[in-house]
Amino acid sequence: MKRFVCTLLSAGLSLFAANGTAQIQINPLPESKPIVPITIGSHELSAADAGAWLDGLFPYALRKNNLAGAVVVVVKDGQILVSKGYGYADVAAKKSVNPASTLFRPGSISKTFLWTAVMQLVEQGKLNLDGDINQYLDFAIPPRDGKPITLRDLMTHTAGFEETAKNLFSGDVALPMSNETWLKEWVPARVFPAGEVSAYSNYGAALAGYIVQRVSGQPFDEYIEQHIFQPLGMQHATFRQPLPTTLKADMAQSYASATTPPKPFELVIPDVAGGMSVSGEDMARFMIAQLQNGHYDNVQILRPETAKQMHEFTHYAIPGLLPIALGFYHMDRNGQTIIGHAGDTELFHSNMMLFLQQNVGVFVSVDGDKDGGLRRQLLDGFTDRYFPALPQLPQPTLATAREHGALLVGRYVSSRASFDNFLSLGNLVQAQVRMAADGTLITPSFKDLAGEPRHWREVKPFIWLDDVSGSHLGALMQNGKPRWISVDEASPVAVWIPVTGWNSAAWNLPLLFASLLVFLLTALLWPIASVVRRRCGKPFALQNPARRWYRWSRVAAIVSLLFAAGWWFVVMRFDDSAANANDRFDVTLRLIQLVGVLAVIGTFAAVMNAFHAWHERGGWWRKLNSAALVLACFAMIWFAFSLHLLNLHLNY
């Protein structure tokens, strides 16, 4: 699960780069199975070649990025082709990573096991993908616009929930609450109609896990053990938290970097959505089963038609961009159909890729690598090396590029965001689309692997191509305006929605900084003016009540600064660890809100001070200062309520 603190632009976004090498496709003979493509200029995917290539990539990457360890497993045609461990599972003890037994935390890749469990119950007739999920729950999920949520909505992340962060992770030694308790504590706001807007949701996945538990009559971890782990022989895999005693010794230590002390085992409250621990070779067994349509050795965890239903279903956030299947999202490139899932805890970062046409799967998990660069290198390099793209003629830029591009210029906010609580602070960080002089679009927020803004040119109506990476940017248009936009890598699970004028950071951020500057100068100049008057022997010119309101207005400025500082502390605290976003932090939030209420009340003092300044004799500086302070106070009220900083509830 993605590390979550007020940075909602990057929800599910991994930026890939592509290179082209020749490939020839041989059409299948009539009445026969498709023939695997023969490639020219590619390397043979053999154990020797893949092992040597990985050995050239990972040791160097670990050293360069100061990472503790990693595991990589490649499967092909029902067998483990390459199984590699790099670095250390325990740096201090110099304990090497063992791909067969060392446990990593694959984060949201756990969801693919959850969705497999859902489909097992679907094929047994116990669940209906298109029925109201309330029929399976013992508490109610309210409809939005009269439309209920279905399991299909949950599996495609189109249920319409806003993002959640509270109690997602725990820093306690033992799990403080169950997935069921977490779900029932509060239901996130339904901000989008069901089945329409792609918005990745851990809450939605957690709901599906609870449904599996209720319908099967088994605790979720027991169900997965009995129906997936044991049939596949996955002896180094568990959803249990804390870890069972038999597996504790196999767990890789949790490192932010190779040179810092390890951190405690991460506890994920909605364990069904991201709490699994697993070895590389056990993940290989699961990948083989998926690639073989539910079959592994002598067991069948899914019927072939059920597995194909999972893999072949497609929901497009924007037609022309990559879709999501049932629980797996597409990572297609070089003409290859690639489905899989990424996963992140705060300290472990993983990726699973299934090349359906080639019967090949790749799993990687890295202890560190927060920005995902190493994982992107693996996907890019592996695909380009073994399944290079066919040479293609350059797609011409459409004549409508400038006209259509102008419609997209503006600011956007991620659908994977909070809109009904104080985490909407993160919506001040907005994606921008600009137009270059040559008519191409520039996206400073969607960067390439070098960290540079991407350039896009229109090659199909409202589909733009980045020639460097081969990725596409698309827009879903409605009434001549973009309803939302996205890029290939994010479109299966998130889109970017145009920002309304009232919420645009183009004027909100300057207003925020200007207001804070006014508060700061007002607070600093108050004692400075007092010292200057004493040194110069000048008495304070104001008399009551003007003097009283002048002083109270200065107190209001200080209180407003404290209110802003309090929320800055919240952001920094959550950024330090998502486990800090828990029930125990409610007291701190209430204290900050109390300061905010005092700041709102203090606006009256600023208004009265300005009234006296403008209706009594005095210099221009006092008039200007008093007016600026009133404007800053009203701006603070705008931010307090538009960003939900003074909500009565503390659900976020």
Side-chain angles (χ1 to χ4, degrees):
M1 290 181 292
K2 297 298 285 181
R3 183 179 181 177
F4 191 120
V5 186
C6 297
T7 53
L8 305 173
L9 283 172
S10 62
L13 180 62
S14 300
L15 303 179
F16 303 135
N19 298 307
T21 314
Q23 174 176 299
I24 294 177
Q25 174 75 49
I26 299 179
N27 293 325
L29 298 171
E31 307 292 331
S32 68
K33 295 183 179 180
I35 298 175
V36 175
I38 297 175
T39 59
I40 297 176
S42 66
H43 293 255
E44 179 188 359
L45 179 53
S46 64
D49 191 90
W53 181 74
L54 291 170
D55 287 345
L57 173 62
F58 272 82
Y60 169 76
L62 294 185
R63 289 194 302 271
K64 178 184 177 182
N65 297 292
N66 194 25
L67 302 173
V71 64
V72 187
V73 178
V74 180
V75 301
K76 180 183 179 184
D77 298 329
Q79 302 292 328
I80 294 178
L81 185 73
V82 178
S83 175
K84 293 276 188 177
Y86 298 99
Y88 296 109
D90 186 325
V91 174
K94 301 295 183 184
K95 182 181 179 181
S96 298
V97 171
N98 184 335
S101 59
T102 301
L103 301 181
F104 282 73
R105 306 299 304 279
S108 285
I109 296 175
S110 307
K111 293 181 177 69
T112 59
F113 289 78
L114 159 64
W115 304 132
T116 300
V118 167
M119 295 306 290
Q120 287 178 335
L121 296 173
V122 167
E123 69 180 16
Q124 294 170 30
K126 296 179 179 179
L127 290 177
N128 178 1
L129 286 179
D130 299 306
D132 186 343
I133 61 170
N134 281 309
Q135 66 185 298
Y136 307 118
L137 298 171
D138 56 355
F139 68 105
I141 303 296
R144 187 184 190 276
D145 301 332
K147 190 175 182 180
I149 294 173
T150 68
L151 278 166
R152 192 181 301 274
D153 297 331
L154 298 182
M155 295 182 78
T156 56
H157 294 283
T158 56
F161 292 114
E162 70 175 346
E163 183 60 289
T164 57
K166 190 176 185 180
N167 294 322
L168 195 63
F169 289 90
S170 172
D172 292 344
V173 176
L175 211 59
M177 66 174 70
S178 65
N179 180 58
E180 177 183 353
T181 304
W182 185 75
L183 286 169
K184 294 179 178 179
E185 192 173 39
W186 60 283
V187 178
R190 298 279 305 285
V191 294
F192 305 117
E196 293 188 18
V197 182
S198 297
Y200 193 86
S201 175
N202 286 310
Y203 187 88
L207 272 177
Y210 184 52
I211 288 171
V212 168
Q213 179 172 308
R214 283 181 51 77
V215 172
S216 69
Q218 292 180 272
F220 181 81
D221 50 13
E222 288 185 10
Y223 178 91
I224 297 296
E225 288 169 358
Q226 182 176 340
H227 297 278
I228 299 179
F229 290 164
Q230 291 174 9
L232 297 181
M234 298 175 63
Q235 299 180 9
H236 290 85
T238 184
F239 271 87
R240 297 178 186 271
Q241 298 178 116
L243 287 173
T245 304
T246 54
L247 293 177
K248 282 184 178 180
D250 293 321
M251 185 66 222
Q253 295 288 332
S254 306
Y255 295 97
S257 71
T259 53
T260 56
K263 296 189 176 184
F265 180 82
E266 299 171 275
L267 295 169
V268 183
I269 302 298
D271 51 350
V272 304
M276 186 170 69
S277 303
V278 66
S279 71
E281 292 193 3
D282 273 12
M283 276 300 304
R285 296 167 183 265
F286 179 73
M287 289 193 294
I288 291 170
Q290 289 291 340
L291 287 165
Q292 298 185 153
N293 293 323
H295 179 76
Y296 180 82
D297 281 349
N298 297 318
V299 299
Q300 195 85 34
I301 62 169
L302 287 173
R303 295 173 188 164
E305 59 270 23
T306 305
K308 289 178 181 179
Q309 183 182 5
M310 288 187 79
H311 302 162
E312 294 175 2
F313 175 82
T314 51
H315 170 83
Y316 290 88
I318 298 175
L321 299 190
L322 294 180
I324 188 170
L326 287 179
F328 296 84
Y329 51 78
H330 279 254
M331 308 173 180
D332 304 352
R333 55 182 293 120
N334 292 4
Q336 299 295 320
T337 301
I338 309 170
I339 63 170
H341 213 290
D344 302 85
T345 66
E346 288 196 292
L347 299 169
F348 289 90
H349 307 279
S350 310
N351 219 342
M352 178 181 69
M353 300 154 282
L354 304 177
F355 295 74
L356 296 183
Q357 296 156 306
Q358 307 292 343
N359 201 15
V360 169
V362 181
F363 170 74
V364 59
S365 189
V366 185
D367 208 344
D369 190 36
K370 183 176 72 173
D371 67 353
L374 181 52
R375 290 177 293 167
R376 293 198 298 272
Q377 280 184 277
L378 176 62
L379 175 60
D380 292 347
F382 186 90
T383 311
D384 291 339
R385 183 176 182 85
Y386 298 112
F387 311 116
L390 281 167
Q392 296 181 356
L393 293 174
Q395 293 177 274
T397 302
L398 297 189
T400 56
R402 188 176 294 275
E403 175 190 354
H404 288 173
L407 297 174
L408 267 63
V409 171
R411 291 175 175 268
Y412 297 81
V413 65
S414 173
S415 61
R416 188 185 181 186
S418 292
F419 301 92
D420 189 46
N421 58 72
F422 68 80
L423 287 184
S424 58
L425 271 167
N427 296 341
L428 290 176
V429 182
Q430 297 167 0
Q432 295 184 58
V433 176
R434 302 170 183 166
M435 181 177 285
D438 61 359
T440 59
L441 295 180
I442 303 174
T443 53
S445 301
F446 306 144
K447 295 180 170 59
D448 59 23
L449 283 174
E452 296 297 323
R454 289 187 179 189
H455 289 252
W456 312 82
R457 57 186 186 86
E458 190 180 29
V459 294
K460 296 178 182 179
F462 296 103
I463 298 292
W464 285 260
L465 171 68
D466 170 23
D467 287 305
V468 175
S469 69
S471 180
H472 295 86
L473 178 150
L476 185 68
M477 303 300 291
Q478 187 177 56
N479 299 324
K481 297 180 180 180
R483 188 178 180 191
W484 55 68
I485 68 170
S486 193
V487 295
D488 267 336
E489 297 82 10
S491 63
V493 293
V495 295
W496 276 260
I497 302 167
V499 174
T500 60
W502 281 107
N503 295 314
S504 176
W507 70 272
N508 271 286
L509 285 179
L511 178 63
L512 174 61
F513 296 140
S515 300
L516 293 176
L517 181 61
V518 169
F519 292 140
L520 182 61
L521 291 175
T522 300
L524 291 176
L525 291 176
W526 186 21
I528 291 174
S530 178
V531 171
V532 170
R533 284 196 303 271
R534 287 198 187 99
R535 294 260 179 117
C536 296
K538 291 184 177 182
F540 190 39
L542 300 182
Q543 302 297 320
N544 280 332
R547 174 184 294 194
R548 181 171 60 251
W549 290 119
Y550 170 85
R551 288 172 174 168
W552 277 114
S553 70
R554 271 53 195 164
V555 172
I558 294 172
V559 172
S560 294
L561 280 176
L562 290 175
F563 185 49
W567 286 111
W568 179 254
F569 169 75
V570 171
V571 171
M572 292 298 99
R573 182 75 172 160
F574 286 7
D575 192 55
D576 177 61
S577 174
N580 292 324
N582 57 48
D583 289 333
R584 289 193 298 272
F585 203 68
D586 285 358
V587 174
T588 301
L589 293 174
R590 286 299 188 205
L591 289 174
I592 295 171
Q593 289 183 324
L594 176 60
V595 174
V597 171
L598 295 176
V600 171
I601 295 172
T603 301
F604 181 72
V607 171
M608 292 303 298
N609 174 62
F611 175 82
H612 286 283
W614 285 84
H615 287 82
E616 298 176 3
R617 295 180 62 183
W620 64 269
W621 171 250
R622 182 166 179 245
K623 288 181 171 60
L624 180 63
N625 173 267
S626 65
L629 183 57
V630 169
L631 292 175
C633 286
F634 277 109
M636 182 274 303
I637 292 175
W638 158 252
F639 288 117
F641 288 98
S642 67
L643 298 176
H644 307 283
L645 305 182
L646 295 179
N647 273 6
L648 293 178
H649 69 78
L650 288 179
N651 300 326
Y652 56 91

